[in-house]
Each structure stands twice: as C-alpha cells, then as structure tokens.
Amino acid sequence: RRTQIRRRLRGCFLFTPACVLVQVAQSTGYFELQLISLENVNGELADGECCDGSRSPSDGRCTRDECDTYLKVCLKEYQMEVATTGQCTFGVGSTQVLGGNTFSFKSTKGKIEETGKILIPFDFSWLRTYTLIVEAWDWDNDTRNDDVELLIERNIHTGMINPGDQWQTIPHDGPVARLMYRIRVRCDENYYGNTCTKLCVPRDDKFGHYRCDPSGALVCLDGWMGPYCTKAICKQGCNVLHGGCSVPGECRCKFGWQGQFCDDCMIHPGCVHGMCNLPWECKCERNWGGLLCDKDLNYCGRHQPCINKGICMNTAPDEYHCACPPGYSGKNCQIAEHSCVSNPCANGGTCREAPDGFECLCPPGWEGQTCANNLDDCASSPCAQGGTCIDLEEGFECVCPPQWEGKTCQIDANECAGKPCVNSRSCKNLIGGYHCDCFRGWSGLKCDINIRGCRGQCQNGGTCKGGPRAYHCFCPPGFVGAHCEIQRNKCDSGPCQNGGQCHAALDSFVCECPTEFAGPLCEVSMPNWSPSDACDPNPCENDARCHSMDQDFYCACPEGYEGKACERLKESCITAPSGVQRISSNVCGPRGRCISHPAGNFTCVCDQGFSGLYCHENINDCISSPCENSGTCIDGINSFQCFCPDGWEGRLCDINVNECRHNPCKNGGSCVDLVNDFYCECADNWKGKTCHSREYCALCFPLWLPTTIFNWERCVFAVSLFRLGESHYNSGICVDGVNWFRCECAPGFAGPDCRININECQSSPCAYGATCVDEINGFRCLCPNGRTGVRCQEFIGVGKTCHYAGLQFPHGSHWDEECNSCHCINGKVQCTKVLCGRRPCLLHSDQDQRPQSCPAGRECLKHSYMTCFSPPCHQWGVCSMAGPSPPQTNTKCQPNSDHLDNSCGRITLVFNRDKIPQGITVENICYELRYLPDTRNLAKDHELLLLCELSQSNQDAVEVALSFRPEDLPNHNLIHETASAIVGSLSKRHNSTVMLAVIEVKVETQVMPPSVDYMVPLLCVVFCLLCLLCVVVCVWWTRKRRKERERNAQSASDDSVNNQWEPLRRVVGSEQQLKESNKEAEQERKKLMGTSYRTCDDGEEETETEGELEEDCGGAEAGVQLVYKYSKTAVQSSGGVICTLHSSSSPLKAPHRTSSYSSKDNRWKNVSAVLTGQKDHRDHCV
C-alpha cells in the first residue's frame, strides 16, 4: 500500500548528449540533499592538477578555465569503516553542472535555491543510521578521459537522522575544496513514523471519516468515532437504546419513542392523566382512574371545593360532598347563616354583625375591612435626632445615633462613659456629643490626631498632606470634614418627586420611582400605563410569548432559553435543579469548558495543551524535536522537558557544559573545554590530566590532540571514547538486522547507544571498609592499612615501609616503574622483570614549545637505529641514560629468524596501513607491548625481553621476538602463556590507536614432540598381577580352612569309637566284594600315582577317601604283600578298603609307635594279630 511520489529529479545527467530525466519509483520516503555552497579557490582537482589545462608559468595558478563542477551522491548503510567503493545500497544521485570554481545557492534573504537539490527515494524501512558519500567532480570530455582524475573533493559522513522537515547542515573543509550542504529525510505522502513505514491515508466516506496526525495516528473528524471513525456521534443525551443517528449531531427515535433525546415513550392514544414506561401504555397517575385515566378519584384533594372549614368527602369519580360546620350551608358551604360565625376579622380584630354583614374593630397597628392591612407606624416619623424607624407588626422601633438613646431617640447619651478621649486632659459630655480637652500637639474629636503628622489622620480614603504647622485632608467625593469623617447625604433635600424613594449613593443619589412615573427625579408621568397589562410592552425576549398576571407577567420561553424574560441561553452543560455541575458524561473532560448553544448543542473550549472535540488529546509538544544535541524529549501538559546527554545542559540541551568552570587544571595549566571533557595545556614541565605530575612521557604525539587522550604515566595511546556524529558511543558496534539494529556495547558500558558507564562499585565489592573507585569495565579498591588484594580481602598486617629511588612507599602499596610494576612487602620491593629498553621521545626544536617528553635530568637525543613504520618519523629520538649504559643483551631469539626453543617465541602483527597514525616507528609499537599489564604480570620470576623488527616478508607486518632469561626453561609453557596474554590484550577494543589497526596476529612457539609414557601400562600390569595373587591366596586359604574343619570333626569322633575287631574281620572277609566295587577308583589311583609305589598316608589320601576303606586289586602281582592298617574312619564306614602297595623287595616295616602308644590299645593288638597270622599273604590290606 504505497503511494507513488509524483516528483522528478530536476537535475540532468550530462554524461549523454540527451538530458536524462529520472522518474522516482514507488517509495515510502526519500533522502534529500541540498547544496548550499562550494569553494574551490585554486580550481584544482583532488590530485593537485588543474581542472582545465596546465598551470600558468608565471604564478603557477590554474588560469585557463574554471572547473565545470557537479555533484555525485552515494547513500548506503551505516559503516564504521567506510568503503568508498562498492554498491550504494540506499541509492545514488547526481546533479547537472552547477557552476565553476566557487558558487553559492544562498540568496541575500537567507533562502536557498532549489538548483543544487538531490532526491534519493527509498522503498524500505528507514534505518535512521546511514553513510553518505558526497563527491564534487569536474565535467570536461575534451581534455581528460579517466574519470578518476576528475574528482575534485570527497566528503564521507556517517550518522543518524530521523524523518522530519528540519534540515541538518554539514560543513566540510577539505584539502582542495570547501563544501557546505544540508540533508534531511522525509517520509512520502501518507507515510509516517521514524521508519516511514506507518501508512495513514485520510478519507471522508462510508469507509471512514478521519485525518492523520503528524505521528500517523488516526484522528477522527468532528462528529465521528470508532477504531476507523465509521460511527457517528449522535446528539448529546440521545438514548443509545431508543435512538440512533447516521450523521453526527442527530437523534432519530425508534418507533414508539419520542422526545428530543428519544427517551420519552408514546402513551396510548386518548390517555388523559396517564403515563408509560414502555410504548403504548396508559398507567394512571395517582387519584386518577378509568381505562384512559380520565376519572378523578380525589376531587376533594385536587380542587378543595369546600370553604369555611367544610369537610370534603369523595363519593364517586368526579363527585364530592361537603359537610359544612354550624352556621354554613350550600354545596361548598359558601352560605353563612351568621356573619361572624366564620371569624372574618384577622390579627385579633373583633367581629360585630351589621345590617349589611359584619364589621371589624382592629387593634392598634392594623386596618382594613378584616384588619388584614398592617398600619405603617413610621409614617409620622416618630424617631428624633436622625434615628431610623423600623415598622413592626405591633408598633415600631427606633435605631438611634450613638449620641442619643431612648424609645424615640430623645435622651442624650453620656459618651464620656466609654472613655473615647485618648490624649486629653478631660472629657465633657454635651447634648448630642462630647468634647475632649486635648494635650498640646494633639487634635481631633478623640484627641487621636497628631497635629504634626499625617499618619492615619484622614478617613474614608482621604489624602493627607502635611504642612509646616499642621496637616490638611483632601476628601474624596461624598465626604467632608476636617478628617473626611462626614458623609454627604444628598437625599436630605428630598429630590425625588411623585413619591419616589431616594437612595444615597457616592456623592450622588438615585430615585426609585413608582410604576406610573419615570425620569431621574420621577418627574415624568406615564400616560398609557395600565396596572393590569404587564405584557404591554412585551418584556419577553427571543420571541417568547408573554402572559399577563396580577402585577406580574410570565414568559413562555422557547427551547434553549431560560430566565424571567427568556433573556439567556439554557445551560446545556449543567443539570437542574442541583445547580451548576459537570454533567455525568463529562463530555469536555477535566481539561475543557463546555459552552451551550441553542437546540441543546454545545462546544468545548480546551485548556492550553489539549485539543480535540472533547479536549481529550494532549498536544505533543515534542513533535517539533525541540531538544538539541541528541537530548531526549519528554512530553508534558502544554510543556516538555529535555533530558540532556552528558556534556550538555539547558532547557533545550543547547548549552555545552563548561567542564573548566571548576578550574581543574593545576600548577598554572590552561583549561580547554571540550564536549563532556576538558583538556589541560600544562606549563613549566607539568603533565597529567590536570597538570599534577612532573614526570613526562615520550610517546604523546601532538598532532592527535585533542581527539586522543594520553596516559602520560604509561605512554599508552587511547582513542577518545566519544566521537561527534556517531550514534554509538564508547566503541559500541552496531548490529544491523531486518528493520532493526542493536548496539553491542564494549565491556563496562550499557544502554541503547552504549553511553552509560556501568558503575561496578554499585555492588560494594570492596571489603573491610575499603573505598571503591569506579573505572571503565572495572573498579579499584583503596584498602585500609593492613589489607591488600583486588577486594582488600588479604590481610598483610602492618609492615615496614620501603625505600626505593629516594622515595618512601608504605607497606602493601603498588607503583609503576617505567614498564614494570613494583610492590612493597614489609620493607622489601618486588618488581616485575620486563626489560624496558630506551624510551622514545620527541625531538625538541627552537620553535616547539611542547614540554619535554623525557624524565627529569634526561634529554632527547637523535638516534639512527629506529625503523619508520608510518612516515614521517624524523621527529623521534631516544632519551639519554641517567647512569651507565646497561650491558648489551645477546640472545639467539631474534625477529625474522628461525630459532625457537622453550624460552623463545615470535609474534607477527599485521597492520592496516590506512588506520595507522602518521609518525609511528617500529620501536613505538614494541614500547607499547612492553607496557601491557598482561606482559608485566608474567615477568615476575624471569626477565622478559621483547625485540621488534619490520617483517622481511610483509611490509605491513612487525615481527616481535619474546624471550626469557635465563634461557634454560624446562618447557615452553611460560613463553606460550606470554604470547597468549599479548594476543588477548590486542583483541580487546580498549587499547591504543596503533593497536586498533592490527588485523591479524600470528604466533610461533616450539612444538614439543609427544613423550612416550610407560607408566600407565606398567601400573596396569602390576595391578593385574596383584589381583591374580589375591585370587590364589583366597583359594589356598579356603582349602586350608576346610581341612582344619575336617580334622576337628575326626578328632571328635575318635572319643566315641567302640574298638572291636569284629567289624574289621567283616571287612576282610568281604575282600572280593570290595575289589569289584572299587575297581574304578583303583584305576584312577594308578593313573595318578604310578605302578611302582603307592602309599596311603594319613594326610593326603585320608582326605581324598573320606570315611572309606579301599582294597588294592593288584594283589596278584608278584612281590606285593597285603597289609592291613587301622583307620579311624574304617570303623564308621560301610566296609570300604584302603590299599597300600609296596614293592616286593622292600620289607614290611613295623608300625611306627608314637609317644601316645599303649599296649592296652585294642586297635593295635588286633592289627598285630592279623599281621602275624597271615604272613603268607602277599598283599596286606588295612
């Protein structure tokens, strides 16, 4: 829904033979640039050559012809680093040839011509931020063909601008020409807002009745309301249920309703004394009845027909009966049977019957036929001495003057009783007054007037003027007397005629005439006056009808008028009868005053600062953008308030705050006021922000002042945090989006445009009563005695002071010593070990009045070893040495070399030449790296050496060699950590101007070969062996415990064995049977023990053959004896046999007897018998 701009660029491009007219496409707004003036005094191009021809040989000036100057404009998105090439994303424009070397479009009356205007339309949401490139070119197709050489001047401008009618003038003083132009952004017709995207098209038809305010909001036309102003506002008071309207101001009633506001229902036709709540009803009023409410049910109460105290009774609808008191009769008791029965005499009069009726004898003060007329007792003027008579119902009363008293004011009052005399000897009462015998020098009735003074003497507004002996009062009109105390009464002469009543006025009188007379003195008689015709002439106004009444009249006022004579408009803005009130609808609101008009209409007169039909719109006083210098406007009621940015003040933020008003510069320094800052021009070798220090810095280049702030103590360049014309403060980065942008603030800053410095002290980070000092993206704690650390959290106690370089430093203090930082700990000074090298300085000339940049006692000397990185560099030197020269440092770690080890590393810094300030040497860059805080923090245990040279492979790069001394570091961790710290410091945005130009950093350190570590596999093998050993021990221990349990069980069973030979015989007798059953077990034993020698001892075999007796089945072999042996388990077993085989060559040995052997042991006897009785057996079985 965009409109088409019906404008065309009036400029023609002269690049083609024909004049090209460019038509502006559909857009939401346009960027407008208007050239004011251009001055190219020498008629030169940007490259220094003449526009036409060569220079004059005599004076070297361009005299052949003037430049044919025209403009080119490129509008693109906001760029922090503006590129003059590339696409103009917002649009381009140009003009025709505007003039020669110098011309101006500003007339003598201050009006600027339209010739140099360029319009660049846009059809997107205006981003407010922009980059504008304005170029002045020379048109000459005869002498040159290369367009690059035709450039005269180029101006690059970035900023932020809101759409509006106000122009922003931009001057440009370039090296070749001086330009002055103005710009503005205007939204297209029907487009509004800061981005020209809010569409509002006024209309007045069935789809809406509205206009657009300057912000693009819909404003309904008078008489319309609703979201799209399609609903008409009916007449005020019109019933919303029973009435409506299609056009403003009317009230059309629905069927069955009537009245001005459609709030009266229509009663049934023929209903006389009835009413309705809904249409066509006839609800009878009180005391009325019948179908049509036409029957009077209370004739007595409504008409009161009975007189003379007769009692009325309703007998039927519209009928009554009067019960008359004694002495009266008739339908209405109107007939008196006796004249005095009704007591006709009033006010205590006595009734007496007479032949023609009755007569009344009236008491004093009353008269008339029935004594109803009050007699005027003051007609005879009974009050004397000027007393005032007041007529009462029963007599009169006199109000006497102060000098008189009594009923008729005839008794003289004693005025001296009240002691009226002030400065007198005595008071004497007189008839009608008193006399005071005044002291000398006093006068007046009460002796209260100082004869020689004027103070308070004249009364009633008289003017006092003093004289040599007395004073004199000049009385106002109507007053006389020495002190203007007597009021002149002109009614005393009775000037009013024909019974007119005189009223005294200020030095005059007014006559109140009877109705039949007129004139100032009531001297004119009204011949046509009739007391019965009060409507002649008609006293009613506004065509009201007059009704004559007894001595009065009544005016029937038309609709919209009121008053006795219908002389004033009826107030539609008030409600009766409660008086003047705001109506409940409060139509004009609290900010308007309602004015009534005929026919119930009204208008609202709004208070200042409000508008609209009902005074409901607060006028936006900020619409004209009154606040200057990026001030924020806050709209109020008929007012506005500007919140100014830092550095500005005043009602419109148009006054630059003078930071020099408090004289911040010390020691005779001269203060220069800046925007939200100041600069001190120090004298007598003083330095610092406020000229408070005597130590000088060598790296402060004067050509950068005052846009660069210097840290003299550390010689670190710092760019000013605020640059005019930018929308983002404090190095904020603008992130562009689709119809939006966002400011990414640098650390330590916040706010929409990054201008708010975050107060890191707000959270009270300092402990133990320390004082917090806010800094940029940090804070500093001033610790009390005995505390140190970032937050004063470390307790160091009270220690000895340190003496260093002739100065005394307290325990725990820190200070800087050139590029190193020092710390005092209990009398010992610990400093970092960065080799600072020779300090660069600016050479001093005879005309140069700059302060010395070397410390006291040193001078700046020329030196030839410096390498210039950004010429000119001839002004740089080095400071002389205060003592003997330090020994030369010989190291293998050099820039542009291939040597790398654990204590050596290299950093390559690649710079953008366009951003490097002029006059920078390689030594300046190296000197800044030595002053980095991260660099000195890593040089605590080893000396750090930084050497810099211009790179041999890239002329835009500087190689930096880092090395630690001594050079026998065990690993490269320290050098790697130092290189990482330097790279991290360079990546921060808050560093010097030179380091801001770094675009690439390369780090080279020694690559350590991976070490072979056998420790882990060795530990794994040891651990596995330990686990295996544990398993073996556990198994052995388990078997051992089981054997011990079995032995314990066998020894317990030996005590209960019955030693008889009978079971053993049974075992021997069943030898053949056992041989068959143990054949398989015998074969297993042969496999395990072999055939030559087998034995069954009491240890191993006893456990394997638990509770059994086994028999050897190889008894048939030659040379084998059968041996019987007793076993404890054999007695309990089921007849098993254990066999022992011996070689035939070995004799059978006697059994071994232990110390516990006994001849009485039956077990051994039986065995012996067996052995002796069966010697022929070859095998012995046990």
Side-chain angles (χ1 to χ4, degrees):
R1 305 187 316 180
R2 299 174 177 171
T3 60
Q4 183 176 5
I5 298 181
R6 296 178 177 86
R7 302 180 181 89
R8 296 184 177 183
L9 296 176
R10 296 182 176 89
C12 297
F13 296 96
L14 299 180
F15 310 113
T16 58
C19 180
V20 180
L21 187 65
V22 179
Q23 182 177 359
V24 181
Q26 292 182 352
S27 62
T28 60
Y30 52 91
F31 185 93
E32 190 172 356
L33 182 143
Q34 188 174 23
L35 181 65
I36 300 176
S37 64
L38 186 143
E39 296 181 10
N40 185 4
V41 180
N42 297 326
E44 297 177 348
L45 296 175
D47 56 2
E49 297 186 5
C50 297
C51 292
D52 293 319
S54 59
R55 300 181 181 272
S56 174
S58 59
D59 55 1
R61 301 182 62 182
C62 301
T63 58
R64 176 180 175 182
D65 191 8
E66 292 188 357
C67 301
D68 299 325
T69 306
Y70 68 95
L71 292 185
K72 286 184 179 180
V73 176
C74 175
L75 186 65
K76 59 175 65 177
E77 72 280 359
Y78 177 81
Q79 298 176 346
M80 293 188 67
E81 300 178 2
V82 180
T84 57
T85 60
Q87 183 180 3
C88 300
T89 55
F90 288 2
V92 296
S94 62
T95 65
Q96 59 183 355
V97 174
L98 301 176
N101 294 342
T102 301
F103 53 87
S104 176
F105 296 114
K106 190 172 184 180
S107 62
T108 56
K109 296 182 180 180
K111 189 175 181 181
I112 300 176
E113 300 178 4
E114 300 289 331
T115 306
K117 182 180 290 187
I118 298 176
L119 297 179
I120 301 178
F122 56 85
D123 56 356
F124 51 85
S125 174
W126 177 247
L127 303 179
R128 299 196 297 172
T129 57
Y130 64 93
T131 298
L132 178 65
I133 302 176
V134 181
E135 298 176 342
W137 292 73
D138 174 42
W139 172 258
D140 192 349
N141 56 359
D142 295 333
T143 60
R144 301 179 188 276
N145 294 321
D146 190 358
D147 290 345
V148 177
E149 297 182 0
L150 300 181
L151 177 64
I152 298 175
E153 187 60 63
R154 176 183 289 123
N155 172 233
I156 299 175
H157 177 72
T158 61
M160 176 170 39
I161 187 172
N162 291 323
D165 296 332
Q166 188 175 1
W167 291 92
Q168 180 179 348
T169 303
I170 301 173
H172 171 69
D173 193 359
V176 176
R178 178 180 299 171
L179 289 172
M180 180 176 290
Y181 58 91
R182 60 181 185 176
I183 61 172
R184 66 180 177 183
V185 175
R186 301 185 67 182
C187 296
D188 193 9
E189 183 180 3
N190 301 328
Y191 284 90
Y192 301 89
N194 290 336
T195 57
C196 296
T197 55
K198 189 173 184 179
L199 179 63
C200 180
V201 182
R203 65 191 316 157
D204 188 7
D205 51 24
K206 64 179 180 178
F207 298 105
H209 307 270
Y210 56 84
R211 58 182 176 84
C212 302
D213 65 1
S215 64
L218 300 182
V219 179
C220 296
L221 301 179
D222 293 344
W224 298 94
M225 63 180 180
Y228 297 99
C229 307
T230 55
K231 186 177 181 181
I233 299 177
C234 301
K235 186 177 181 179
Q236 183 187 2
C238 185
N239 194 296
V240 296
L241 299 177
H242 310 141
C245 61
S246 57
V247 295
E250 70 174 0
C251 186
R252 291 185 178 181
C253 300
K254 297 181 180 179
F255 184 70
W257 297 91
Q258 61 182 353
Q260 180 182 359
F261 304 111
C262 302
D263 53 358
D264 295 333
C265 57
M266 293 184 178
I267 63 175
H268 192 279
C271 186
V272 181
H273 297 285
M275 58 182 180
C276 64
N277 294 328
L278 296 175
W280 321 122
E281 288 183 342
C282 185
K283 293 184 177 181
C284 296
E285 299 175 0
R286 187 175 182 181
N287 296 326
W288 290 95
L291 184 60
L292 299 177
C293 302
D294 53 353
K295 303 297 182 180
D296 193 352
L297 304 181
N298 186 17
Y299 192 90
C300 293
R302 186 168 289 102
H303 299 281
Q304 298 181 358
C306 302
I307 60 176
N308 296 319
K309 298 183 180 180
I311 300 175
C312 182
M313 294 176 290
N314 295 308
T315 57
D318 294 333
E319 295 183 3
Y320 66 95
H321 170 71
C322 290
C324 299
Y328 294 93
S329 61
K331 183 173 180 59
N332 297 327
C333 303
Q334 74 277 13
I335 302 173
E337 297 177 355
H338 300 284
S339 302
C340 290
V341 172
S342 60
N343 293 325
C345 301
N347 298 313
T350 303
C351 179
R352 187 175 62 184
E353 293 186 2
D356 53 352
F358 66 93
E359 63 180 358
C360 292
L361 301 178
C362 298
W366 299 95
E367 63 180 355
Q369 184 179 1
T370 58
C371 302
N373 298 330
N374 184 15
L375 185 63
D376 189 6
D377 299 303
C378 292
S380 60
S381 300
C383 300
Q385 306 301 334
T388 302
C389 180
I390 299 176
D391 185 25
L392 303 176
E393 292 184 357
E394 297 180 357
F396 64 93
E397 181 183 359
C398 291
V399 179
C400 303
Q403 303 87 353
W404 301 92
E405 60 185 4
K407 177 68 175 176
T408 57
C409 304
Q410 295 179 350
I411 301 174
D412 180 53
N414 185 11
E415 293 85 358
C416 291
K419 298 180 180 182
C421 301
V422 181
N423 301 299
S424 66
R425 298 180 183 88
S426 62
C427 177
K428 184 177 182 181
N429 184 32
L430 302 178
I431 299 175
Y434 62 93
H435 173 70
C436 295
D437 186 8
C438 301
F439 293 128
R440 185 176 181 181
W442 294 90
S443 65
L445 181 61
K446 300 180 181 181
C447 299
D448 56 350
I449 300 175
N450 190 350
I451 296 176
R452 298 179 180 84
C454 262
R455 184 176 181 182
Q457 310 300 341
C458 302
Q459 305 176 13
N460 298 311
T463 303
C464 180
K465 290 188 178 181
R469 296 184 179 179
Y471 61 89
H472 179 69
C473 290
F474 293 91
C475 302
F479 295 92
V480 294
H483 304 100
C484 307
E485 74 277 8
I486 303 174
Q487 185 177 7
R488 183 183 300 167
N489 190 357
K490 292 194 175 183
C491 286
D492 295 342
S493 60
C496 300
Q497 304 175 14
N498 299 314
Q501 186 176 358
C502 181
H503 298 279
L506 184 62
D507 198 25
S508 182
F509 65 93
V510 177
C511 292
E512 184 179 359
C513 301
T515 55
E516 63 269 21
F517 293 94
L521 302 177
C522 304
E523 74 278 7
V524 180
S525 177
M526 305 292 293
N528 298 326
W529 177 82
S530 174
S532 61
D533 189 7
C535 289
D536 189 14
N538 187 5
C540 303
E541 302 178 6
N542 297 311
D543 298 331
R545 183 178 179 183
C546 181
H547 299 274
S548 179
M549 302 174 65
D550 186 16
Q551 300 294 327
D552 200 0
F553 64 91
Y554 168 72
C555 294
C557 301
E559 181 181 359
Y561 292 93
E562 62 182 356
K564 176 68 176 176
C566 306
E567 70 278 5
R568 64 178 180 271
L569 284 170
K570 183 180 294 184
E571 185 63 46
S572 301
C573 298
I574 63 174
T575 58
S578 59
V580 179
Q581 297 177 349
R582 294 280 182 181
I583 62 175
S584 59
S585 62
N586 195 18
V587 62
C588 292
R591 299 295 182 179
R593 180 169 54 89
C594 184
I595 298 178
S596 300
H597 293 286
N601 294 324
F602 67 92
T603 56
C604 293
V605 178
C606 302
D607 296 342
Q608 290 185 353
F610 289 87
S611 63
L613 181 62
Y614 306 106
C615 302
H616 61 285
E617 299 178 3
N618 179 19
I619 297 176
N620 187 3
D621 302 287
C622 292
I623 197 169
S624 60
S625 300
C627 302
E628 302 178 6
N629 299 308
S630 302
T632 302
C633 182
I634 304 298
D635 182 36
I637 298 177
N638 196 28
S639 64
F640 62 89
Q641 183 180 3
C642 292
F643 287 90
C644 304
D646 294 339
W648 297 94
E649 62 182 358
R651 184 174 179 271
L652 302 178
C653 303
D654 54 348
I655 302 175
N656 181 15
V657 177
N658 185 11
E659 285 79 13
C660 294
R661 64 184 182 275
H662 300 300
N663 297 324
C665 302
K666 303 177 182 178
N667 301 311
S670 177
C671 182
V672 178
D673 182 36
L674 305 175
V675 177
N676 195 28
D677 199 2
F678 66 92
Y679 166 68
C680 290
E681 295 181 350
C682 303
D684 298 333
N685 295 334
W686 290 94
K687 66 100 185 173
K689 178 67 176 179
T690 57
C691 305
H692 61 281
S693 177
R694 280 282 190 179
E695 185 179 358
Y696 310 109
C697 179
L699 292 180
C700 301
F701 193 46
L703 295 179
W704 295 344
L705 290 173
T707 59
T708 306
I709 300 174
F710 306 100
N711 187 332
W712 292 84
E713 298 177 357
R714 301 182 180 181
C715 305
V716 177
F717 304 104
V719 180
S720 174
L721 299 179
F722 177 82
R723 283 182 277 178
L724 294 175
E726 295 188 0
S727 60
H728 304 282
Y729 298 81
N730 302 311
S731 301
I733 299 177
C734 181
V735 179
D736 185 25
V738 180
N739 199 23
W740 60 269
F741 71 93
R742 182 181 72 256
C743 291
E744 290 187 355
C745 302
F749 294 93
D753 50 4
C754 304
R755 72 170 66 189
I756 300 175
N757 178 20
I758 299 175
N759 184 10
E760 284 80 10
C761 290
Q762 188 173 6
S763 60
S764 301
C766 301
Y768 300 101
T771 301
C772 183
V773 179
D774 182 39
E775 295 180 343
I776 302 299
N777 192 28
F779 62 91
R780 179 166 50 91
C781 294
L782 303 180
C783 303
N785 292 332
R787 290 281 174 181
T788 186
V790 179
R791 303 177 185 269
C792 304
Q793 74 278 7
E794 300 177 7
F795 178 75
I796 59 175
V798 179
K800 300 178 181 179
T801 59
C802 298
H803 298 274
Y804 184 81
L807 300 176
Q808 185 174 352
F809 297 93
H811 170 65
S813 60
H814 298 262
W815 69 93
D816 292 336
E817 179 65 26
E818 290 191 352
C819 64
N820 290 290
S821 60
C822 298
H823 184 202
C824 175
I825 302 178
N826 197 19
K828 297 182 180 180
V829 178
Q830 297 180 358
C831 297
T832 57
K833 300 177 181 180
V834 179
L835 298 179
C836 301
R838 300 284 293 273
R839 173 181 294 186
C841 62
L842 293 173
L843 295 174
H844 181 69
S845 61
D846 296 337
Q847 294 80 14
D848 194 357
Q849 301 298 327
R850 294 191 303 268
Q852 289 290 335
S853 55
C854 291
R858 304 186 193 181
E859 59 181 356
C860 191
L861 304 177
K862 291 185 179 180
H863 206 282
S864 59
Y865 78 90
M866 288 190 175
T867 304
C868 186
F869 190 63
S870 177
C873 304
H874 61 275
Q875 73 278 7
W876 288 103
V878 294
C879 293
S880 61
M881 303 299 297
S885 301
Q888 293 290 336
T889 56
N890 297 323
T891 177
K892 299 179 182 179
C893 188
Q894 296 289 336
N896 294 316
S897 67
D898 296 332
H899 177 75
L900 292 174
D901 55 22
N902 290 342
S903 60
C904 178
R906 283 194 304 275
I907 300 177
T908 303
L909 305 179
V910 182
F911 290 85
N912 185 355
R913 287 278 187 175
D914 297 335
K915 292 185 177 181
I916 300 176
Q918 296 181 354
I920 295 298
T921 64
V922 176
E923 286 70 22
N924 294 145
I925 299 174
C926 200
Y927 199 74
E928 285 199 30
L929 294 176
R930 296 179 184 132
Y931 272 85
L932 293 176
D934 296 335
T935 304
R936 67 178 72 179
N937 291 335
L938 295 171
K940 293 182 179 179
D941 301 328
H942 303 275
E943 292 183 356
L944 176 61
L945 177 63
L946 280 80
L947 300 177
C948 302
E949 287 184 6
L950 191 65
S951 176
Q952 298 177 357
S953 59
N954 188 356
Q955 294 300 316
D956 294 336
V958 174
E959 284 203 5
V960 182
L962 309 174
S963 61
F964 282 96
R965 301 178 62 187
E967 300 178 350
D968 53 351
L969 297 179
N971 52 53
H972 71 299
N973 294 337
L974 183 59
I975 196 69
H976 187 272
E977 185 178 358
T978 304
S980 300
I982 294 176
V983 174
S985 299
L986 296 179
S987 63
K988 298 178 181 179
R989 285 177 283 177
H990 296 288
N991 48 37
S992 69
T993 307
V994 178
M995 296 307 171
L996 284 175
V998 176
I999 59 176
E1000 185 180 355
V1001 180
K1002 299 178 182 178
V1003 179
E1004 296 178 70
T1005 57
Q1006 184 180 14
V1007 180
M1008 300 297 293
S1011 60
V1012 180
D1013 194 357
Y1014 298 99
M1015 184 61 66
V1016 174
L1018 180 61
L1019 291 177
C1020 292
V1021 172
V1022 172
F1023 181 76
C1024 293
L1025 293 176
L1026 289 177
C1027 293
L1028 183 60
L1029 180 61
C1030 291
V1031 173
V1032 172
V1033 170
C1034 291
V1035 172
W1036 174 79
W1037 180 256
T1038 303
R1039 293 176 62 86
K1040 182 179 180 181
R1041 293 292 296 174
R1042 189 173 63 179
K1043 291 179 181 179
E1044 290 179 356
R1045 286 196 299 268
E1046 291 174 353
R1047 291 192 187 102
N1048 294 335
Q1050 290 174 2
S1051 61
S1053 61
D1054 288 343
D1055 298 337
S1056 59
V1057 170
N1058 186 9
N1059 296 323
Q1060 295 179 3
W1061 181 242
E1062 192 63 29
L1064 187 60
R1065 289 180 178 179
R1066 184 171 53 87
V1067 172
V1068 175
S1070 59
E1071 177 182 353
Q1072 187 66 28
Q1073 183 180 0
L1074 292 174
K1075 184 182 294 185
E1076 294 295 334
S1077 60
N1078 293 330
K1079 187 176 183 178
E1080 295 180 358
E1082 180 183 354
Q1083 293 177 358
E1084 286 294 321
R1085 285 194 298 270
K1086 287 180 179 181
K1087 293 179 181 179
L1088 294 175
M1089 302 179 63
T1091 57
S1092 62
Y1093 183 83
R1094 296 182 185 178
T1095 180
C1096 299
D1097 58 20
D1098 296 336
E1100 188 69 25
E1101 288 297 328
E1102 186 175 349
T1103 59
E1104 296 177 358
T1105 60
E1106 293 180 0
E1108 294 184 1
L1109 282 174
E1110 296 183 357
E1111 181 183 9
D1112 187 6
C1113 297
E1117 298 180 4
V1120 179
Q1121 296 178 350
L1122 180 64
V1123 181
Y1124 287 89
K1125 187 176 181 179
Y1126 179 77
S1127 176
K1128 291 186 290 183
T1129 59
V1131 180
Q1132 300 174 359
S1133 65
S1134 59
V1137 180
I1138 300 176
C1139 299
T1140 303
L1141 302 181
H1142 296 273
S1143 176
S1144 58
S1145 61
S1146 59
L1148 181 65
K1149 294 182 180 181
H1152 176 72
R1153 295 178 174 87
T1154 62
S1155 58
S1156 59
Y1157 168 76
S1158 177
S1159 60
K1160 297 180 181 180
D1161 193 345
N1162 296 328
R1163 292 174 295 178
W1164 177 247
K1165 291 179 179 179
N1166 295 333
V1167 172
S1168 299
V1170 173
L1171 295 177
T1172 57
Q1174 299 179 358
K1175 292 182 179 180
D1176 54 344
H1177 286 207
R1178 298 179 64 181
D1179 290 339
H1180 301 278
C1181 296
V1182 179

